[in-house]
């Protein structure tokens, strides 16, 4: 049941996307069609963030006493400091937005399950990592918003049964906010940012030649948008955090801080009860649609000459070349890793020796179909 | 039938199509569902991805009496299997192995890159392709 509904959603969504794609192709041409760079765009923003983050880091001081002032100094005194800060803030929003659109597209085009399962799981992990990076980043500014975030976050973590206690101490030592809170936040912010690269490597596993870079034109366009937004809406701090006053209101970055209004509205335990199941559902989404029977491509050892063409063309790194010692005059043979195979047939198209076949779509059958269609066609057929 | 008698009413076109590009559900008729409805003498055989189209499939279509062959995949840039249509296109252009034999009449071989929703456009193009093939055949006869 659920499988049928989901399949239907995917199919209809796909049609909508294809129409948009068609229009964009007519305007931009397929070379510059932003839709075709849905995975590369978040990447582009990530590099913008690394770069602007590095520049901010040069003047940032990570202590309770000096953090706020150092951010103000960067914003007001350093040439283009406000610009860099703005870029760092809005590129982060743009990255999150791009990630959601990327996820939506792979979901609607049905490119997220079976042989792409690793990309889906790692994608979910990447998104969670981004949230942590974002939230900890907002602590580093150390304005009133940072103060509320630290307070609410440690209470939120504390609300978890069993592990809550320990987790909340990760932020606040013995119930006092100290420099420890700052270095922890910095560690989360910068450390997890760097681990994004590791997770991305996992994200690209089993994908031959991943498309990770946007074109120059698209890059300039995206950078331009971020620049304009940062000029129009400069990123600013609230008043410096002050332990004696309980702040009541702060600006919310809806891309990263949405969880705080949720906590405020429904309380900590209920927030957990919403967030955790939601995360589980998103993670298992690929398993909710029944897969069709799987039969990987297979290689005919008698015909394979070890030319490597199939292993080069396979888009999912499902074929490797192994040395052979079965008395054949050829040195290598293609081996298919069954569970990676998408049954796409690219290897069949690449093989000039009829040595690799899809069991459900044998190329001799295709050839017969072609011949018969043309021969039958000579007779009149009923419409 | 000699080549000189070929005209728009009897040229045969074979479309080897990716099953994910133009949605041909309900558009195919004939004994084995290989005739394209609404376009005479146009036949369709589907494969999972245009990247699966071997040069030999194209050759065999010409050898079995096709006057023109279309290899069809999704719009370039969008391939469910990432690179299938790109590779197919490169083979048609002769820049990716395995190469298409020299004996294959390249001018009567065409790549079409269309999406699921472009059915009508697709049929028009097949119809137009038939005209191109007739013209091309005339030229070939003249040259011979
Ligand atoms: S069908 Fe061939 S090319 Fe496609 S994923 Fe499987 S082994 Fe790779
Ligand atoms: S393309 Fe064919 S002959 Fe070449 S390695 Fe692959 S299976 Fe073997």
């Amino acid at each position: 049941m659920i499988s049928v509904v989901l399949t239907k959603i995917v199919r209809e969504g796909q049609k909508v996307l294809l129409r948009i794609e068609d229009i964009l192709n007519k305007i931009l041409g397929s070379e510059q069609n932003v839709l075709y760079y849905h995975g590369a765009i978040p990447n582009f923003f990530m590099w913008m963030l690394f770069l602007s983050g590095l520049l901010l880091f040069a003047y940032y001081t990570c202590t309770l006493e000096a953090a706020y002032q150092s951010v103000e100094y960067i914003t007001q005194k350093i040439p283009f400091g406000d610009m860099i800060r703005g870029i760092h803030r809005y590129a982060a929003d743009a990255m999150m937005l791009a990630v959601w659109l990327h996820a939506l597209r792979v979901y609607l085009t049905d490119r997220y399950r079976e042989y792409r399962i690793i990309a889906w799981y790692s994608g979910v992990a990447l998104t969670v990592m981004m949230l942590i990076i974002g939230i900890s980043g907002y602590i580093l500014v150390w304005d009133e918003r940072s103060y509320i975030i630290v307070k609410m976050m440690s209470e939120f973590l504390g609300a978890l049964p069993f592990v809550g206690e320990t987790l909340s101490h990760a932020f606040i030592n013995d119930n006092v906010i100290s420099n420890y809170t700052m270095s922890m936040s910095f560690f989360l912010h910068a450390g997890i940012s760097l681990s994004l690269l590791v997770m991305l490597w996992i994200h690209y596993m089993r994908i031959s030649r991943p498309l990770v870079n946007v074109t120059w034109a698209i890059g300039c366009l995206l950078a331009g948008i971020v620049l304009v937004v940062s000029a129009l809406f400069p990123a600013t701090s609230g008043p410096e955090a002050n332990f004696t006053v309980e702040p009541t209101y702060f600006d919310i970055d809806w891309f990263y801080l949405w969880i705080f209004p949720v906590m405020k509205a429904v309380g900590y335990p209920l927030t957990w009860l919403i967030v955790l199941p939601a995360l589980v559902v998103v993670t298992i989404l690929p398993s909710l649609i029944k897969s069709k029977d799987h039969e990987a491509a297979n290689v005919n050892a008698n015909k394979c000459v070890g030319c490597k063409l199939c292993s080069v063309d396979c888009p999912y790194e499902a074929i490797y070349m192994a040395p052979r010692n079965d008395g054949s005059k050829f040195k290598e043979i293609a081996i298919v890793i069954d569970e990676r195979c998408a049954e796409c047939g690219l290897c069949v198209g690449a093989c000039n020796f009829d040595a690799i076949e899809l069991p459900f779509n044998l190329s001799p059958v295709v050839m017969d179909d072609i011949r018969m269609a043309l021969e039958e066609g000579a007779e009149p057929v009923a419409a | 039938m000699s080549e000189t008698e070929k005209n728009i009413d009897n040229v045969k076109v074979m479309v080897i199509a990716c099953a994910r590009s133009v949605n041909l559900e309900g558009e195919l008729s004939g004994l084995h569902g290989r005739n394209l409805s609404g376009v005479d003498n146009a036949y369709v055989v589907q494969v999972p991805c245009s990247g699966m189209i071997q040069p030999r499939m194209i050759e065999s279509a010409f050898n079995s009496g096709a006057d023109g062959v279309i290899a069809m995949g999704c719009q370039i840039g969008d391939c469910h299997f990432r690179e299938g249509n790109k590779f197919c296109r490169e083979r048609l252009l002769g820049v990716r192995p395995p190469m298409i034999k020299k004996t294959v009449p390249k001018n009567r071989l065409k790549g079409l890159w269309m999406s699921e929703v472009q059915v009508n456009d697709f049929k028009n193009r097949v119809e137009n392709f038939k005209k191109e093939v007739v013209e091309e055949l005339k030229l070939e006869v003249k040259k011979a």
Side-chain angles (χ1 to χ4, degrees):
Chain A
M1 178 59 201
I2 203 166
S3 171
V4 175
V5 175
L6 286 177
T7 313
K8 181 93 189 138
I9 294 178
V10 167
R11 272 203 68 78
E12 291 308 311
Q14 192 159 21
K15 279 190 199 146
V16 175
L17 264 181
L18 284 168
R19 289 193 201 280
I20 301 175
E21 194 171 311
D22 209 15
I23 298 168
L24 286 177
N25 269 339
K26 293 206 171 91
I27 305 173
L28 304 168
S30 70
E31 191 65 18
Q32 303 293 351
N33 187 340
V34 283
L35 269 189
Y36 297 155
Y37 296 89
H38 56 100
I41 290 174
N43 230 350
F44 177 78
F45 289 126
M46 184 184 72
W47 289 110
M48 267 182 104
L49 284 163
F50 276 138
L51 202 64
S52 54
L54 207 63
L55 292 172
L56 293 173
F57 177 55
Y59 289 96
Y60 177 73
T61 319
C62 187
T63 61
L64 272 189
E65 302 75 38
Y68 184 83
Q69 285 312 324
S70 71
V71 174
E72 287 302 287
Y73 181 77
I74 291 169
T75 317
Q76 284 157 17
K77 297 279 161 54
I78 306 284
F80 303 111
D82 51 344
M83 242 4 223
I84 307 272
R85 182 179 179 191
I87 290 171
H88 201 63
R89 186 213 189 284
Y90 292 112
D93 285 355
M95 183 176 172
M96 189 54 102
L97 182 65
V99 161
W100 281 103
L101 293 176
H102 171 55
L104 187 68
R105 181 172 160 101
V106 295
Y107 182 70
L108 290 181
T109 49
D110 198 15
R111 299 174 188 173
Y112 64 100
R113 56 201 180 98
E114 297 173 345
Y115 47 91
R116 302 202 194 223
I117 195 81
I118 288 190
W120 182 262
Y121 291 152
S122 56
V124 173
L126 280 164
T127 315
V128 173
M129 287 162 79
M130 280 172 64
L131 281 173
I132 303 175
I133 297 167
I135 293 173
S136 54
Y138 275 106
I139 298 177
L140 295 179
V141 180
W142 206 239
D143 58 359
E144 285 186 348
R145 173 169 49 198
S146 317
Y147 178 45
I148 310 183
I149 290 175
V150 170
K151 259 185 70 119
M152 289 180 80
M153 211 50 202
S154 54
E155 283 164 14
F156 179 55
L157 292 173
L160 261 188
F162 310 116
V163 286
E165 220 18 59
T166 330
L167 276 180
S168 72
H169 284 171
F171 259 105
I172 305 186
N173 231 352
D174 290 333
N175 289 324
V176 260
I177 296 177
S178 62
N179 272 334
Y180 172 71
T181 312
M182 291 310 269
S183 23
M184 190 63 187
S185 305
F186 188 81
F187 169 72
L188 288 176
H189 189 68
I192 299 185
S193 293
L194 289 179
S195 351
L196 281 180
L197 295 176
V198 178
M199 194 50 91
L200 270 178
W201 173 74
I202 296 176
H203 200 54
Y204 300 146
M205 247 160 65
R206 301 201 183 172
I207 295 188
S208 329
R209 303 166 286 270
L211 182 62
V212 293
N213 292 323
V214 295
T215 60
W216 274 98
I218 295 177
C220 292
L221 177 76
L222 298 176
I225 294 174
V226 171
L227 278 172
V228 169
V229 175
S230 2
L232 290 179
F233 310 96
T236 52
S237 310
E240 185 168 3
N242 178 341
F243 296 135
T244 54
V245 208
E246 187 82 359
T248 48
Y249 169 81
F250 65 84
D251 268 348
I252 287 170
D253 178 339
W254 286 99
F255 291 99
Y256 291 90
L257 305 179
W258 48 266
I259 200 167
F260 295 94
V262 176
M263 292 176 193
K264 189 102 195 150
V266 302
Y268 300 123
L270 204 55
T271 306
W272 278 119
L273 284 179
I274 296 169
V275 171
L276 284 183
L279 191 61
V280 171
V281 169
V282 170
T283 312
I284 65 168
L285 212 50
S287 331
L288 295 182
I289 291 187
K290 265 237 302 289
S291 306
K292 54 177 177 29
D293 294 340
H294 178 68
E295 277 233 44
N298 65 49
V299 178
N300 181 333
N302 294 326
K303 290 183 175 176
C304 178
V305 302
C307 72
K308 295 195 175 76
L309 287 183
C310 59
S311 73
V312 170
D313 275 14
C314 174
Y316 298 105
E317 305 203 321
I319 306 179
Y320 67 94
M321 303 302 300
R324 66 193 291 176
N325 36 21
D326 54 358
S328 160
K329 63 178 183 223
F330 302 110
K331 285 205 189 68
E332 285 186 317
I333 184 171
I335 309 273
V336 178
I337 305 166
D338 283 8
E339 72 275 10
R340 293 191 187 179
C341 176
E343 295 168 59
C344 65
L346 263 61
C347 50
V348 179
C351 182
N352 215 6
F353 302 89
D354 271 333
I356 190 161
E357 290 290 354
L358 290 181
F360 285 144
N361 280 289
L362 298 166
S363 67
V365 174
V366 175
M367 304 265 253
D368 276 352
D369 276 352
I370 292 174
R371 218 188 48 241
M372 279 158 67
L374 287 159
E375 281 164 9
E376 269 167 28
E379 305 149 20
V381 281
Chain B
M1 199 189 327
S2 87
E3 299 278 76
T4 39
E5 290 168 64
K6 285 288 182 188
N7 61 47
I8 195 70
D9 295 319
N10 63 16
V11 280
K12 284 193 204 170
V13 170
M14 165 56 65
V15 184
I16 311 174
C18 157
R20 291 183 186 258
S21 63
V22 173
N23 180 6
L24 294 171
E25 229 172 274
E27 301 290 343
L28 298 177
S29 56
L31 212 51
H32 295 99
R34 298 186 191 109
N35 300 48
L36 182 61
S37 309
V39 187
D40 294 332
N41 300 323
Y43 311 96
V44 179
V45 167
Q46 290 178 309
V47 285
C49 175
S50 59
M52 182 173 164
I53 302 174
Q54 291 168 329
R56 262 166 304 116
M57 293 176 185
I58 295 169
E59 283 156 32
S60 96
F62 279 113
N63 293 340
S64 312
D67 300 300
V69 174
I70 291 177
M72 181 170 76
C74 302
Q75 304 192 75
I76 298 294
D78 183 43
C79 173
H80 188 84
F81 299 111
R82 304 191 52 248
E83 303 176 309
N85 55 1
K86 194 177 125 210
F87 291 170
C88 179
R89 182 166 172 268
E90 288 173 4
R91 282 191 189 109
L92 296 182
L93 293 173
V95 294
R96 187 175 197 91
M99 300 294 180
I100 297 170
K101 278 212 187 98
K102 292 232 160 45
T103 50
V104 167
K106 291 266 170 50
N107 292 334
R108 289 185 273 130
L109 169 61
K110 188 186 179 76
L112 263 192
W113 318 108
M114 311 186 80
S115 82
E116 195 181 321
V117 291
Q118 296 171 309
V119 185
N120 294 329
D121 198 10
F122 165 65
K123 289 189 180 180
N124 290 336
R125 286 184 189 225
V126 176
E127 200 59 67
N128 281 337
F129 179 62
K130 278 167 62 182
K131 289 180 201 146
E132 288 167 27
V133 169
V134 173
E135 291 307 309
E136 187 54 39
L137 282 170
K138 278 189 197 150
L139 280 180
E140 282 173 27
V141 169
K142 260 192 214 152
K143 267 191 218 152

